Amino acid sequence: MSENIIFKAAPGGKLTGDIRVPGDKSISHRSIMLGSIAEGTTEVTGFLEGEDNLATLNAFRAMGVKIDGPVNGQVTIQGVGLHGLQAPSEPVYLGNSGTSIRLLAGLMAGQAFDVEMIGDHSLSTRPMKRVTDPLASMGAKVDSSADGSPPLKVNGGSRLQGINYTMPMASAQVKSCLLLAGLYADGKTCVTEPAPTRDHTERMLEGFGYSVEREGSTACVVGGGKLTGRKIDVPADISSATFFMVGAAIAKGSDLLLEHVGINPTRVGVINILRLMGADLSLNNEREVGGEPVADIRVRGSQLQGIRIPEEQVPLAIDEFPALFVAAACATGETVLTGAEELRVKESDRIQAMADGLQVLGIDARPTADGMVIQGGQLQTGTVESHGDHRIAMAFAMAALRASGPITIHNCANVNTSFPDFVTLAQTAGLNISQKD
Ligand code: S3P
Protein backbone atom coordinates (compact mmCIF):
# COMPACT_ATOMS: atom_id res chain seq x y z
CA MET A 1 0.00 0.00 0.00
CA SER A 2 1.83 3.13 -1.13
CA GLU A 3 -0.64 6.03 -0.83
CA ASN A 4 -0.27 8.00 2.38
CA ILE A 5 -3.80 8.49 3.68
CA ILE A 6 -3.61 10.89 6.63
CA PHE A 7 -6.14 11.03 9.47
CA LYS A 8 -6.52 14.23 11.43
CA ALA A 9 -8.57 14.01 14.61
CA ALA A 10 -9.53 17.20 16.43
CA PRO A 11 -9.40 17.16 20.22
CA GLY A 12 -12.33 16.59 22.56
CA GLY A 13 -15.86 15.39 21.99
CA LYS A 14 -17.71 12.30 23.12
CA LEU A 15 -19.21 9.19 21.49
CA THR A 16 -22.97 8.70 21.53
CA GLY A 17 -25.76 6.88 19.68
CA ASP A 18 -26.30 3.32 18.40
CA ILE A 19 -23.88 1.99 15.82
CA ARG A 20 -22.99 -1.32 14.21
CA VAL A 21 -19.37 -1.87 13.25
CA PRO A 22 -18.55 -4.13 10.25
CA GLY A 23 -18.46 -7.92 10.32
CA ASP A 24 -15.93 -10.07 12.13
CA LYS A 25 -12.72 -10.47 10.15
CA SER A 26 -11.80 -13.90 11.48
CA ILE A 27 -15.27 -15.35 10.90
CA SER A 28 -15.51 -13.76 7.43
CA HIS A 29 -12.23 -15.41 6.34
CA ARG A 30 -13.36 -18.78 7.58
CA SER A 31 -16.79 -18.47 5.92
CA ILE A 32 -15.12 -18.22 2.50
CA MET A 33 -12.62 -20.99 3.17
CA LEU A 34 -15.05 -23.52 4.59
CA GLY A 35 -17.88 -22.51 2.23
CA SER A 36 -15.57 -23.16 -0.71
CA ILE A 37 -14.60 -26.68 0.35
CA ALA A 38 -18.14 -27.59 1.45
CA GLU A 39 -20.65 -29.43 -0.68
CA GLY A 40 -23.58 -27.25 -1.70
CA THR A 41 -24.28 -23.57 -1.28
CA THR A 42 -23.18 -21.34 1.60
CA GLU A 43 -24.93 -18.00 2.06
CA VAL A 44 -23.10 -15.46 4.16
CA THR A 45 -24.58 -12.25 5.58
CA GLY A 46 -22.69 -9.57 7.50
CA PHE A 47 -19.49 -10.43 5.59
CA LEU A 48 -16.66 -7.95 6.17
CA GLU A 49 -15.82 -6.30 2.86
CA GLY A 50 -12.33 -5.35 3.99
CA GLU A 51 -9.22 -5.86 1.88
CA ASP A 52 -8.02 -8.85 3.91
CA ASN A 53 -11.25 -10.77 3.44
CA LEU A 54 -11.47 -9.81 -0.22
CA ALA A 55 -7.98 -11.27 -0.63
CA THR A 56 -9.26 -14.60 0.71
CA LEU A 57 -12.36 -14.40 -1.49
CA ASN A 58 -10.27 -13.68 -4.61
CA ALA A 59 -7.93 -16.55 -3.79
CA PHE A 60 -10.82 -19.03 -3.88
CA ARG A 61 -12.23 -17.48 -7.06
CA ALA A 62 -8.78 -18.00 -8.58
CA MET A 63 -9.09 -21.66 -7.57
CA GLY A 64 -12.32 -22.05 -9.54
CA VAL A 65 -14.94 -21.44 -6.85
CA LYS A 66 -18.02 -19.53 -8.01
CA ILE A 67 -18.64 -16.77 -5.48
CA ASP A 68 -21.31 -14.06 -5.88
CA GLY A 69 -20.90 -10.79 -4.01
CA PRO A 70 -20.09 -9.26 -1.72
CA VAL A 71 -23.11 -6.98 -2.04
CA ASN A 72 -24.06 -5.25 1.21
CA GLY A 73 -22.30 -7.97 3.16
CA GLN A 74 -23.99 -10.83 1.30
CA VAL A 75 -21.87 -13.52 -0.31
CA THR A 76 -23.03 -16.74 -1.94
CA ILE A 77 -20.48 -19.51 -2.37
CA GLN A 78 -21.03 -22.57 -4.55
CA GLY A 79 -18.91 -25.06 -2.63
CA VAL A 80 -16.77 -27.47 -4.67
CA GLY A 81 -16.16 -30.07 -1.96
CA LEU A 82 -12.88 -30.99 -0.25
CA HIS A 83 -11.29 -32.09 -3.52
CA GLY A 84 -12.84 -29.68 -6.01
CA LEU A 85 -10.40 -26.75 -5.92
CA GLN A 86 -8.39 -26.09 -9.06
CA ALA A 87 -4.84 -24.84 -9.54
CA PRO A 88 -4.70 -21.02 -9.73
CA SER A 89 -3.06 -19.75 -12.92
CA GLU A 90 -0.75 -17.32 -11.08
CA PRO A 91 0.59 -16.67 -7.58
CA VAL A 92 -2.17 -15.85 -5.11
CA TYR A 93 -1.81 -12.31 -3.68
CA LEU A 94 -2.91 -12.10 -0.05
CA GLY A 95 -2.09 -8.44 0.63
CA ASN A 96 -1.63 -7.66 4.33
CA SER A 97 -3.45 -10.72 5.62
CA GLY A 98 -1.65 -13.05 7.99
CA THR A 99 -4.84 -15.02 8.59
CA SER A 100 -5.25 -15.70 4.87
CA ILE A 101 -1.71 -16.93 4.28
CA ARG A 102 -1.41 -19.03 7.45
CA LEU A 103 -4.80 -20.73 7.18
CA LEU A 104 -4.39 -21.26 3.45
CA ALA A 105 -0.96 -22.82 3.99
CA GLY A 106 -2.74 -25.65 5.80
CA LEU A 107 -5.60 -25.94 3.36
CA MET A 108 -3.30 -25.85 0.34
CA ALA A 109 -1.04 -28.53 1.82
CA GLY A 110 -3.84 -31.03 1.18
CA GLN A 111 -4.34 -30.18 -2.51
CA ALA A 112 -3.10 -32.05 -5.55
CA PHE A 113 -1.66 -28.87 -7.15
CA ASP A 114 1.08 -26.33 -6.33
CA VAL A 115 0.24 -22.84 -5.06
CA GLU A 116 2.48 -19.84 -4.52
CA MET A 117 1.25 -17.27 -1.99
CA ILE A 118 2.61 -13.73 -1.85
CA GLY A 119 1.78 -10.62 0.16
CA ASP A 120 2.55 -6.94 0.71
CA HIS A 121 5.67 -5.58 2.38
CA SER A 122 4.42 -6.20 5.93
CA LEU A 123 3.15 -9.74 5.26
CA SER A 124 6.44 -10.56 3.52
CA THR A 125 8.30 -9.98 6.79
CA ARG A 126 6.04 -12.02 9.07
CA PRO A 127 7.07 -15.34 10.61
CA MET A 128 5.75 -18.44 8.86
CA LYS A 129 7.94 -21.18 10.39
CA ARG A 130 5.26 -21.50 13.06
CA VAL A 131 3.08 -23.08 10.36
CA THR A 132 5.63 -24.52 7.92
CA ASP A 133 7.44 -26.58 10.61
CA PRO A 134 4.39 -28.50 11.88
CA LEU A 135 3.04 -28.82 8.32
CA ALA A 136 6.35 -30.42 7.33
CA SER A 137 5.93 -32.95 10.12
CA MET A 138 2.54 -33.85 8.59
CA GLY A 139 4.37 -34.55 5.33
CA ALA A 140 3.65 -31.27 3.54
CA LYS A 141 6.24 -29.57 1.36
CA VAL A 142 6.16 -25.83 1.84
CA ASP A 143 9.01 -23.56 0.70
CA SER A 144 9.55 -20.08 2.14
CA SER A 145 12.26 -17.42 2.05
CA ALA A 146 15.48 -18.32 3.85
CA ASP A 147 14.29 -16.53 7.01
CA GLY A 148 10.98 -18.41 6.97
CA SER A 149 8.87 -15.52 5.67
CA PRO A 150 6.62 -15.36 2.56
CA PRO A 151 6.39 -15.96 -0.34
CA LEU A 152 5.23 -19.47 0.51
CA LYS A 153 5.17 -22.15 -2.14
CA VAL A 154 3.00 -25.10 -1.17
CA ASN A 155 3.87 -28.12 -3.29
CA GLY A 156 0.81 -30.21 -3.91
CA GLY A 157 0.33 -33.94 -4.08
CA SER A 158 1.77 -34.75 -0.65
CA ARG A 159 0.16 -37.45 1.42
CA LEU A 160 -0.49 -35.91 4.82
CA GLN A 161 -0.40 -37.78 8.13
CA GLY A 162 -2.28 -36.65 11.23
CA ILE A 163 -0.09 -35.37 14.08
CA ASN A 164 -0.33 -34.44 17.74
CA TYR A 165 1.06 -30.95 17.98
CA THR A 166 1.55 -28.74 21.02
CA MET A 167 1.91 -25.14 19.93
CA PRO A 168 4.81 -23.17 21.42
CA MET A 169 2.72 -19.96 21.25
CA ALA A 170 -0.99 -19.27 21.70
CA SER A 171 -2.01 -18.81 18.06
CA ALA A 172 -5.41 -19.39 16.50
CA GLN A 173 -3.85 -19.03 13.08
CA VAL A 174 -1.45 -21.92 13.69
CA LYS A 175 -4.19 -24.05 15.26
CA SER A 176 -6.56 -23.35 12.37
CA CYS A 177 -3.87 -24.01 9.74
CA LEU A 178 -3.19 -27.47 11.19
CA LEU A 179 -6.86 -28.38 11.64
CA LEU A 180 -7.50 -27.43 7.99
CA ALA A 181 -4.55 -29.56 6.87
CA GLY A 182 -5.99 -32.28 9.12
CA LEU A 183 -9.15 -32.42 6.98
CA TYR A 184 -6.92 -33.89 4.26
CA ALA A 185 -4.67 -36.05 6.47
CA ASP A 186 -4.74 -39.77 7.19
CA GLY A 187 -5.98 -40.32 10.72
CA LYS A 188 -6.35 -37.77 13.47
CA THR A 189 -4.75 -34.33 13.76
CA CYS A 190 -4.72 -32.87 17.28
CA VAL A 191 -3.56 -29.39 18.26
CA THR A 192 -2.97 -28.39 21.88
CA GLU A 193 -2.75 -24.72 22.82
CA PRO A 194 -0.81 -23.26 25.75
CA ALA A 195 -3.69 -20.82 26.42
CA PRO A 196 -7.18 -20.49 24.91
CA THR A 197 -7.25 -18.79 21.49
CA ARG A 198 -10.17 -17.89 19.25
CA ASP A 199 -12.11 -21.01 18.32
CA HIS A 200 -14.04 -19.82 15.27
CA THR A 201 -12.57 -22.57 13.08
CA GLU A 202 -13.72 -25.31 15.44
CA ARG A 203 -17.19 -23.78 15.82
CA MET A 204 -17.62 -23.24 12.11
CA LEU A 205 -16.39 -26.71 11.16
CA GLU A 206 -19.04 -28.11 13.51
CA GLY A 207 -21.62 -25.82 11.90
CA PHE A 208 -20.69 -27.30 8.51
CA GLY A 209 -21.33 -30.77 9.98
CA TYR A 210 -17.64 -31.69 10.42
CA SER A 211 -16.97 -33.23 13.77
CA VAL A 212 -14.28 -31.63 15.97
CA GLU A 213 -13.24 -33.38 19.18
CA ARG A 214 -12.51 -30.78 21.82
CA GLU A 215 -11.17 -31.69 25.21
CA GLY A 216 -9.51 -29.16 27.46
CA SER A 217 -6.90 -27.31 25.47
CA THR A 218 -6.84 -29.84 22.61
CA ALA A 219 -8.87 -29.84 19.38
CA CYS A 220 -8.78 -32.77 16.95
CA VAL A 221 -10.19 -33.57 13.52
CA VAL A 222 -10.14 -36.84 11.61
CA GLY A 223 -9.37 -36.50 7.90
CA GLY A 224 -11.63 -37.55 5.08
CA GLY A 225 -15.03 -36.25 6.22
CA LYS A 226 -17.22 -33.76 4.44
CA LEU A 227 -18.62 -30.26 4.98
CA THR A 228 -22.16 -29.33 4.03
CA GLY A 229 -23.04 -25.80 2.87
CA ARG A 230 -25.01 -23.61 5.31
CA LYS A 231 -26.09 -20.10 6.16
CA ILE A 232 -23.69 -17.93 8.15
CA ASP A 233 -24.59 -14.66 9.87
CA VAL A 234 -21.33 -12.90 10.71
CA PRO A 235 -21.57 -10.80 13.90
CA ALA A 236 -19.95 -7.36 14.18
CA ASP A 237 -16.24 -7.61 14.96
CA ILE A 238 -15.36 -7.11 18.62
CA SER A 239 -11.89 -6.05 17.50
CA SER A 240 -13.40 -3.19 15.45
CA ALA A 241 -15.88 -2.39 18.23
CA THR A 242 -12.89 -2.04 20.55
CA PHE A 243 -11.91 1.36 19.17
CA PHE A 244 -15.38 2.64 19.99
CA MET A 245 -15.49 0.91 23.38
CA VAL A 246 -12.22 2.58 24.34
CA GLY A 247 -13.29 5.91 22.82
CA ALA A 248 -16.54 5.90 24.79
CA ALA A 249 -14.81 4.73 27.97
CA ILE A 250 -12.22 7.55 27.95
CA ALA A 251 -14.45 10.43 26.78
CA LYS A 252 -16.53 12.08 29.50
CA GLY A 253 -20.26 12.21 28.72
CA SER A 254 -20.12 9.34 26.18
CA ASP A 255 -22.98 6.86 25.99
CA LEU A 256 -22.62 4.49 23.05
CA LEU A 257 -24.43 1.30 22.09
CA LEU A 258 -22.55 -1.12 19.84
CA GLU A 259 -25.00 -3.49 18.22
CA HIS A 260 -24.74 -7.21 17.44
CA VAL A 261 -21.12 -7.63 18.54
CA GLY A 262 -19.58 -11.11 18.67
CA ILE A 263 -18.72 -11.98 22.29
CA ASN A 264 -17.16 -15.40 21.77
CA PRO A 265 -15.47 -16.18 25.14
CA THR A 266 -12.11 -16.49 23.34
CA ARG A 267 -12.38 -12.86 22.18
CA VAL A 268 -13.67 -10.95 25.21
CA GLY A 269 -10.35 -9.96 26.79
CA VAL A 270 -11.02 -6.32 25.94
CA ILE A 271 -14.28 -6.36 27.92
CA ASN A 272 -12.60 -8.04 30.88
CA ILE A 273 -9.63 -5.65 30.84
CA LEU A 274 -11.75 -2.50 30.45
CA ARG A 275 -13.95 -3.64 33.33
CA LEU A 276 -10.87 -4.23 35.50
CA MET A 277 -9.87 -0.65 34.66
CA GLY A 278 -13.24 0.53 35.94
CA ALA A 279 -15.07 1.08 32.64
CA ASP A 280 -18.85 1.45 32.72
CA LEU A 281 -19.70 -1.30 30.25
CA SER A 282 -22.74 -3.57 30.03
CA LEU A 283 -23.76 -6.44 27.77
CA ASN A 284 -27.40 -6.39 26.68
CA ASN A 285 -29.64 -8.73 24.74
CA GLU A 286 -27.17 -11.64 24.81
CA ARG A 287 -28.08 -14.23 22.18
CA GLU A 288 -26.54 -16.86 19.91
CA VAL A 289 -26.31 -16.45 16.15
CA GLY A 290 -25.22 -19.46 14.09
CA GLY A 291 -23.06 -20.93 16.83
CA GLU A 292 -21.46 -17.63 17.93
CA PRO A 293 -22.58 -15.61 20.99
CA VAL A 294 -23.57 -12.00 20.29
CA ALA A 295 -24.62 -8.99 22.42
CA ASP A 296 -25.23 -5.27 22.25
CA ILE A 297 -22.53 -3.50 24.24
CA ARG A 298 -23.22 -0.23 26.03
CA VAL A 299 -20.29 1.89 27.16
CA ARG A 300 -20.40 5.14 29.08
CA GLY A 301 -17.53 7.49 29.85
CA SER A 302 -15.80 7.15 33.23
CA GLN A 303 -12.40 7.68 34.82
CA LEU A 304 -10.30 4.56 34.19
CA GLN A 305 -7.68 3.23 36.62
CA GLY A 306 -4.31 1.77 35.67
CA ILE A 307 -3.95 -1.98 36.26
CA ARG A 308 -1.55 -4.88 35.88
CA ILE A 309 -3.15 -6.73 32.97
CA PRO A 310 -3.62 -10.43 33.87
CA GLU A 311 -1.51 -12.51 31.46
CA GLU A 312 -4.33 -14.98 30.86
CA GLN A 313 -6.27 -12.15 29.21
CA VAL A 314 -3.54 -11.52 26.62
CA PRO A 315 -4.52 -14.09 23.95
CA LEU A 316 -8.18 -13.16 24.50
CA ALA A 317 -7.40 -9.52 23.63
CA ILE A 318 -4.42 -9.96 21.31
CA ASP A 319 -5.66 -7.54 18.62
CA GLU A 320 -7.00 -5.01 21.12
CA PHE A 321 -3.79 -3.73 22.71
CA PRO A 322 -3.24 -0.69 20.49
CA ALA A 323 -6.59 0.67 21.71
CA LEU A 324 -6.04 -0.59 25.28
CA PHE A 325 -2.71 1.29 25.42
CA VAL A 326 -4.66 4.46 24.66
CA ALA A 327 -7.08 3.59 27.47
CA ALA A 328 -4.06 3.12 29.76
CA ALA A 329 -2.67 6.53 28.72
CA CYS A 330 -5.97 8.10 29.86
CA ALA A 331 -6.17 6.12 33.12
CA THR A 332 -5.07 7.23 36.56
CA GLY A 333 -1.78 5.61 37.56
CA GLU A 334 0.28 2.88 36.00
CA THR A 335 -0.75 0.09 33.61
CA VAL A 336 1.60 -2.84 33.10
CA LEU A 337 1.34 -5.37 30.28
CA THR A 338 3.52 -8.50 30.22
CA GLY A 339 3.39 -11.79 28.31
CA ALA A 340 2.48 -10.13 25.02
CA GLU A 341 5.60 -10.66 22.88
CA GLU A 342 3.32 -11.75 20.01
CA LEU A 343 2.46 -8.06 19.56
CA ARG A 344 5.92 -7.57 18.08
CA VAL A 345 5.09 -9.77 15.05
CA LYS A 346 1.67 -8.42 14.05
CA GLU A 347 1.03 -6.14 11.06
CA SER A 348 3.65 -3.90 12.71
CA ASP A 349 5.67 -4.18 15.90
CA ARG A 350 2.72 -2.96 17.93
CA ILE A 351 4.69 -2.51 21.15
CA GLN A 352 7.24 -0.20 19.51
CA ALA A 353 4.74 1.59 17.26
CA MET A 354 2.38 2.41 20.12
CA ALA A 355 5.15 3.37 22.58
CA ASP A 356 6.70 5.71 20.01
CA GLY A 357 3.37 7.37 19.22
CA LEU A 358 2.34 7.73 22.86
CA GLN A 359 5.70 9.31 23.66
CA VAL A 360 5.19 11.80 20.81
CA LEU A 361 1.89 12.64 22.51
CA GLY A 362 3.65 13.29 25.82
CA ILE A 363 2.85 10.03 27.60
CA ASP A 364 5.41 8.09 29.63
CA ALA A 365 5.12 4.77 27.76
CA ARG A 366 8.05 2.41 28.21
CA PRO A 367 8.22 -0.59 25.88
CA THR A 368 9.52 -3.89 27.27
CA ALA A 369 10.41 -7.12 25.45
CA ASP A 370 6.94 -8.54 26.02
CA GLY A 371 4.72 -5.57 26.80
CA MET A 372 4.66 -2.00 28.04
CA VAL A 373 4.54 0.13 31.18
CA ILE A 374 2.34 3.20 30.77
CA GLN A 375 1.82 6.06 33.23
CA GLY A 376 -1.53 7.71 32.67
CA GLY A 377 -1.29 11.41 31.85
CA GLN A 378 -2.49 14.23 29.60
CA LEU A 379 -2.32 13.37 25.90
CA GLN A 380 -0.83 16.28 23.95
CA THR A 381 -1.13 17.25 20.30
CA GLY A 382 1.23 15.65 17.77
CA THR A 383 1.89 13.72 14.58
CA VAL A 384 2.23 9.96 14.82
CA GLU A 385 3.06 7.14 12.41
CA SER A 386 0.77 4.13 12.04
CA HIS A 387 3.46 2.10 10.22
CA GLY A 388 0.73 1.06 7.80
CA ASP A 389 -0.98 -0.87 10.62
CA HIS A 390 -4.78 -0.46 10.69
CA ARG A 391 -5.14 -0.93 14.42
CA ILE A 392 -2.43 1.59 15.30
CA ALA A 393 -4.14 4.19 13.09
CA MET A 394 -7.59 3.68 14.64
CA ALA A 395 -6.24 3.61 18.20
CA PHE A 396 -4.54 7.00 17.81
CA ALA A 397 -7.67 8.45 16.17
CA MET A 398 -9.61 7.66 19.37
CA ALA A 399 -6.83 9.16 21.52
CA ALA A 400 -7.85 12.60 20.20
CA LEU A 401 -10.98 12.44 22.38
CA ARG A 402 -8.70 13.16 25.34
CA ALA A 403 -5.88 15.12 23.71
CA SER A 404 -5.07 18.81 24.26
CA GLY A 405 -4.81 19.44 20.49
CA PRO A 406 -5.21 17.65 17.16
CA ILE A 407 -3.60 14.28 16.44
CA THR A 408 -2.35 13.65 12.90
CA ILE A 409 -1.78 10.04 11.88
CA HIS A 410 0.23 9.04 8.81
CA ASN A 411 -0.11 5.94 6.61
CA CYS A 412 -3.71 5.03 7.34
CA ALA A 413 -4.62 3.34 4.05
CA ASN A 414 -4.51 -0.07 5.73
CA VAL A 415 -7.55 0.78 7.86
CA ASN A 416 -9.38 -0.59 4.81
CA THR A 417 -8.00 -4.06 5.53
CA SER A 418 -10.35 -4.49 8.49
CA PHE A 419 -12.62 -1.46 8.81
CA PRO A 420 -13.83 0.15 5.59
CA ASP A 421 -15.65 3.43 6.34
CA PHE A 422 -14.11 3.77 9.80
CA VAL A 423 -13.89 7.53 9.37
CA THR A 424 -17.57 7.92 8.47
CA LEU A 425 -18.75 5.73 11.35
CA ALA A 426 -16.43 7.49 13.80
CA GLN A 427 -17.83 10.85 12.66
CA THR A 428 -21.37 9.55 13.13
CA ALA A 429 -20.55 8.55 16.69
CA GLY A 430 -19.04 11.98 17.44
CA LEU A 431 -15.32 11.82 16.72
CA ASN A 432 -14.14 14.96 14.96
CA ILE A 433 -11.97 13.22 12.35
CA SER A 434 -11.13 13.94 8.72
CA GLN A 435 -9.15 12.05 6.13
CA LYS A 436 -6.76 13.39 3.48
CA ASP A 437 -5.47 11.31 0.54
C1 S3P B 1 -6.55 -14.46 13.96
C2 S3P B 1 -5.73 -14.83 14.98
C3 S3P B 1 -4.83 -13.89 15.67
C4 S3P B 1 -5.17 -12.45 15.40
C5 S3P B 1 -5.48 -12.19 13.95
C6 S3P B 1 -6.63 -13.07 13.48
C7 S3P B 1 -7.41 -15.48 13.33
O1 S3P B 1 -3.51 -14.14 15.24
O2 S3P B 1 -4.13 -11.60 15.80
O3 S3P B 1 -5.82 -10.84 13.74
O4 S3P B 1 -8.37 -15.10 12.59
O5 S3P B 1 -7.18 -16.66 13.55
P1 S3P B 1 -2.58 -15.25 15.97
O6 S3P B 1 -3.28 -16.51 15.89
O7 S3P B 1 -1.30 -15.26 15.20
O8 S3P B 1 -2.40 -14.73 17.37
Side-chain angles (χ1 to χ4, degrees):
M1 194 115 351
S2 53
E3 52 206 305
N4 179 14
I5 288 180
I6 296 171
F7 286 175
K8 190 162 183 178
K14 59 186 178 179
L15 302 185
T16 57
D18 297 4
I19 59 169
R20 179 165 169 162
V21 301
D24 188 277
K25 184 151 75 80
S26 295
I27 297 176
S28 294
H29 279 302
R30 288 156 172 82
S31 72
I32 299 290
M33 295 180 189
L34 299 191
S36 293
I37 57 167
E39 294 176 18
T41 304
T42 290
E43 284 173 26
V44 187
T45 51
F47 181 78
L48 171 60
E49 299 181 29
E51 287 169 2
D52 280 11
N53 297 107
L54 296 175
T56 293
L57 188 153
N58 288 330
F60 282 89
R61 272 199 185 129
M63 290 188 281
V65 183
K66 184 170 178 303
I67 305 177
D68 293 325
V71 178
N72 296 327
Q74 293 200 24
V75 180
T76 306
I77 307 157
Q78 306 299 338
V80 295
L82 272 181
H83 300 285
L85 297 174
Q86 294 162 19
S89 57
E90 47 187 57
V92 172
Y93 179 67
L94 297 169
N96 194 240
S97 180
T99 308
S100 305
I101 200 163
R102 293 206 180 105
L103 271 59
L104 274 176
L107 194 49
M108 294 299 106
Q111 308 303 318
F113 50 83
D114 299 349
V115 184
E116 188 175 1
M117 298 189 288
I118 57 179
D120 71 4
H121 174 72
S122 155
L123 188 61
S124 301
T125 64
R126 295 185 65 189
M128 295 296 142
K129 274 173 82 65
R130 56 181 62 197
V131 290
T132 55
D133 282 353
L135 284 174
S137 67
M138 294 178 78
K141 293 186 193 66
V142 187
D143 305 324
S144 64
S145 302
D147 64 353
S149 61
L152 291 185
K153 179 155 184 247
V154 188
N155 300 288
S158 304
R159 179 144 186 194
L160 303 183
Q161 299 295 328
I163 52 167
N164 284 310
Y165 186 68
T166 300
M167 293 190 291
M169 77 288 288
S171 168
Q173 293 181 350
V174 175
K175 173 178 63 173
S176 301
C177 164
L178 300 177
L179 292 177
L180 292 175
L183 303 180
Y184 293 89
D186 289 338
K188 203 191 243 192
T189 299
C190 293
V191 186
T192 300
E193 50 191 12
T197 68
R198 65 193 69 193
D199 65 353
H200 305 301
T201 302
E202 297 91 304
R203 285 174 186 250
M204 200 182 283
L205 277 170
E206 283 165 348
F208 274 94
Y210 205 106
S211 163
V212 181
E213 262 178 54
R214 303 172 71 178
E215 217 183 290
S217 55
T218 302
C220 308
V221 293
V222 176
K226 80 166 189 162
L227 288 78
T228 306
R230 58 176 285 217
K231 283 192 165 55
I232 297 174
D233 177 10
V234 181
D237 196 326
I238 191 169
S239 298
S240 297
T242 288
F243 303 102
F244 290 88
M245 284 192 242
V246 167
I250 62 174
K252 199 163 165 251
S254 292
D255 188 353
L256 188 69
L257 189 76
L258 292 149
E259 294 167 357
H260 204 73
V261 182
I263 52 158
N264 180 312
T266 60
R267 297 284 298 279
V268 292
V270 60
I271 294 175
N272 300 335
I273 293 168
L274 282 176
R275 279 185 166 155
L276 287 173
M277 296 178 83
D280 180 351
L281 189 153
S282 63
L283 301 185
N284 306 301
N285 193 14
E286 288 187 43
R287 54 211 183 266
E288 188 157 311
V289 178
E292 289 281 351
V294 168
D296 302 327
I297 303 178
R298 184 174 184 191
V299 188
R300 283 179 276 199
S302 57
Q303 182 52 54
L304 301 179
Q305 311 294 326
I307 58 163
R308 181 169 282 276
I309 297 174
E311 286 199 3
E312 73 271 12
Q313 294 298 322
V314 170
L316 311 181
I318 195 65
D319 291 337
E320 284 50 277
F321 287 104
L324 286 168
F325 292 147
V326 169
C330 298
T332 310
E334 183 175 86
T335 296
V336 181
L337 173 68
T338 54
E341 56 280 343
E342 279 292 302
L343 294 180
R344 292 202 177 268
V345 290
K346 294 294 180 186
E347 287 84 325
S348 69
D349 175 343
R350 288 183 172 161
I351 292 175
Q352 199 60 48
M354 286 303 301
D356 289 348
L358 287 172
Q359 286 167 13
V360 166
L361 300 175
I363 297 295
D364 176 4
R366 271 166 290 139
T368 61
D370 65 343
M372 206 178 317
V373 181
I374 298 175
Q375 306 294 336
Q378 173 61 53
L379 284 156
Q380 308 293 339
T381 184
T383 297
V384 299
E385 174 54 55
S386 83
H387 297 278
D389 183 330
H390 54 140
R391 299 202 196 280
I392 305 289
M394 292 185 276
F396 280 122
M398 289 298 171
L401 289 160
R402 284 279 292 272
S404 62
I407 296 181
T408 303
I409 309 150
H410 281 271
N411 273 314
C412 299
N414 270 12
V415 166
N416 287 328
T417 60
S418 70
F419 203 147
D421 295 329
F422 166 74
V423 167
T424 313
L425 198 62
Q427 286 166 342
T428 307
L431 186 70
N432 193 345
I433 181 172
S434 59
Q435 169 174 326
K436 201 171 79 186
D437 293 358

